[in-house]
Every structure is written in C-alpha cells, then in structure tokens.
Amino acid sequence: DTVKMLTGLLARQERGVWWTTNANVWGTLAVAAFSKQFETIPVSGQAKASFGDSAQVVKWGEQVAKDPAPVLLPWPGTNMKPASLNISQQGTGAPWVTVQALAAVPLKAPQVAGYSIKKTLTPVEQKVAGQYSRGDVLRVTLDIDAQSDMTQVVVDDPIPAGATILGNGLGRDSAIATQGEKSSGWAWPDFEERRFAGYRAYYGYVMRGKFSVQYTVRLNNAGTFKMPATRVEAMYAPDVFGAAPNAAMVVK
C-alpha cells in the first residue's frame, strides 16, 4: 500500500508543489523516505516519450540532473483525432513521470473559491462621454468579499498596456487626480505595487467580510487591450482564491 499512498500524496500537488509550507516539508520527507527504501537501483540509459507524431528522448547520466528539464510535446494537430502518449524506460531503474496537459483557456465567468471580487471603472477625467480616450483618467474600485479569515492575501489587477497607475510620485504624476481614492472595510494593505502591468496589494491579514480598495490609472495608448483576469488569492493556500474576467478595453 505504500506505493499507492505515495501516488495519492503526489496527486495532491498543484504545479509541482503542495498547498502549504508545512505540507511541502512533510511531503519532501515522505518522498525521501520512500526513495531510500524502494528506489535503491540507480537510473541509467534513456527514456523516450512520444505523443502522436512527436517524440523526445531523455538520456540519463552525469549530464542530466536528478530532476531533468520538462519534455514539452505539442498537441497532435487540429484534426481532433485521438492520439496516445507512450513513455518507455530503456535501462535500469524506474524513474517517475509527471504528466500535465497545458492549454490557454480564457476565463469567461467569475470564479469564487473563498473570495469574490467585483471591479468598477469610474471616469475622473474623460474627454468624450461614453468612451475611453487617450489621456483619460479612471478610478478603479475593487470590491472583495472574503468568506473566512486568512493571512497573507494578495490582490492583483491588470491594467491596459502603456497605462500609468498614479500615486507613485514619479514624473508626470498627479496628486490631485488621486485625492478621491477611498478604501473601506477592515483590511489594510501592508504594501502596494504600482507596476507597469497592473496594481498589486499585499495584506498580512484579511478578516471575514467585505472590503474595497481603489486606485487611479491614466490611459496613455490607443488601441484594443485584452487583459488577464483580476485575481485575489491567499499566498499559502492557493486553493482559496477569487477571479473575475476583464472585458476588452477600447481606447480611442
């Protein structure tokens, strides 16, 4: 039963790690103990993986570390015909294999797994009513509802490419445009990042209930911008999160 228990233990990983720091420590010790008892034969030779018409070979030896680089095999075309994944070990030992299917799937509906998040855009300075133009200033409000108390929470919200988050004190910043920013609730960020890619706030502790955060952004480039989802997540419990898709933004 030990092999089955270890397989179940590894199946609880996400992206190669367990959910918490403690779980990673205990999991590493358990895997090391298993390896010492059941994996005494060193791995040698080579392993071959094939998927459809694509194949790659990993040669075991001094030039390859104990944890080799991932082998990436493309999807077998767009004809939707079934294809088999075949993996074989040619040599001594029995190396472990982790199989993942990677695909870029856009988020079309909000996800609630401990947090719900709602994003609102309010014009502060707008050249033409009803549309976004280059040079407009917007107030972004993020309303978040936490279902339980949690430590180490991050709020991450993307902005259009080339836009600037005001309040960083750099050149062309506007202190007047940020005067109306307000936050509510019993959560205060320990640190805020006003990055080129978006706004990010770090909270040491978030109580159960609702809270909101605001920031101000200026649109600098014209175009149609597609952005990833707005996300709030517990850093040491990534299964507790919330995500909301962002519609494409058109700036004239």
Side-chain angles (χ1 to χ4, degrees), residues 30-56:
V31 173
F34 177 90
S35 179
K36 185 177 180 180
Q37 183 174 357
F38 295 97
E39 299 177 339
T40 57
I41 301 176
V43 177
S44 63
Q46 66 181 19
K48 181 179 179 181
S50 61
F51 186 44
D53 297 331
S54 301
Q56 289 192 31

Side-chain angles (χ1 to χ4, degrees), residues 70-85:
V71 175
L72 299 179
L73 299 175
W75 291 102
T78 58
N79 52 16
M80 302 301 292
K81 292 183 179 180
S84 299
L85 173 64

Side-chain angles (χ1 to χ4, degrees), residues 4 56 68 101-102 130 158 161 179 217:
K4 296 180 179 180
Q56 289 192 31
L102 304 179
Q179 287 181 352
V217 61

Side-chain angles (χ1 to χ4, degrees), residues 1 34 47 75 78 85 95 131 166 184 220 237:
D1 294 336
F34 177 90
W75 291 102
T78 58
L85 173 64
Q131 74 174 33
L166 304 180
S184 62
N220 296 325

Side-chain angles (χ1 to χ4, degrees), residues 64-249:
V64 177
K66 294 182 180 179
D67 188 10
V71 175
L72 299 179
L73 299 175
W75 291 102
T78 58
N79 52 16
M80 302 301 292
K81 292 183 179 180
S84 299
L85 173 64
N86 300 307
I87 302 174
S88 60
Q89 163 65 7
Q90 302 169 356
T92 62
W96 289 79
V97 178
T98 300
V99 180
Q100 286 183 317
L102 304 179
V105 180
L107 183 66
K108 297 182 179 180
Q111 291 181 331
V112 179
Y115 291 99
S116 63
I117 184 168
K118 179 182 178 182
K119 181 177 179 179
T120 306
L121 301 179
T122 304
V124 177
E125 298 177 5
Q126 194 171 32
K127 296 179 180 179
V128 180
Q131 74 174 33
Y132 299 123
S133 304
R134 182 180 179 184
D136 286 354
V137 177
L138 306 178
R139 180 73 37 77
V140 181
T141 303
L142 303 177
D143 295 307
I144 303 168
D145 188 359
Q147 297 179 1
S148 61
D149 298 350
M150 187 64 66
T151 60
Q152 305 301 326
V153 178
V154 178
V155 177
D156 190 8
D157 185 41
I159 61 174
T164 302
I165 299 177
L166 304 180
N168 52 25
L170 300 178
R172 299 188 65 203
D173 200 358
S174 174
I176 297 177
T178 60
Q179 287 181 352
E181 294 181 359
K182 296 180 180 179
S183 298
S184 62
W186 294 98
W188 297 272
D190 295 338
F191 184 73
E192 293 177 299
E193 285 184 342
R194 295 173 174 86
R195 304 173 299 128
F196 294 106
Y199 172 84
R200 184 175 291 172
Y202 299 85
Y203 296 83
Y205 181 74
V206 173
M207 297 177 59
R208 178 182 179 181
K210 298 180 180 180
F211 69 97
S212 66
V213 61
Q214 287 187 340
Y215 68 92
T216 307
V217 61
R218 180 173 58 223
L219 306 176
N220 296 325
N221 292 340
T224 301
F225 301 94
K226 296 182 179 180
M227 296 173 290
T230 300
R231 188 177 180 88
V232 53
E233 178 181 305
M235 294 177 62
Y236 293 101
D239 57 313
V240 181
F241 71 95
N246 288 303
M249 177 177 287

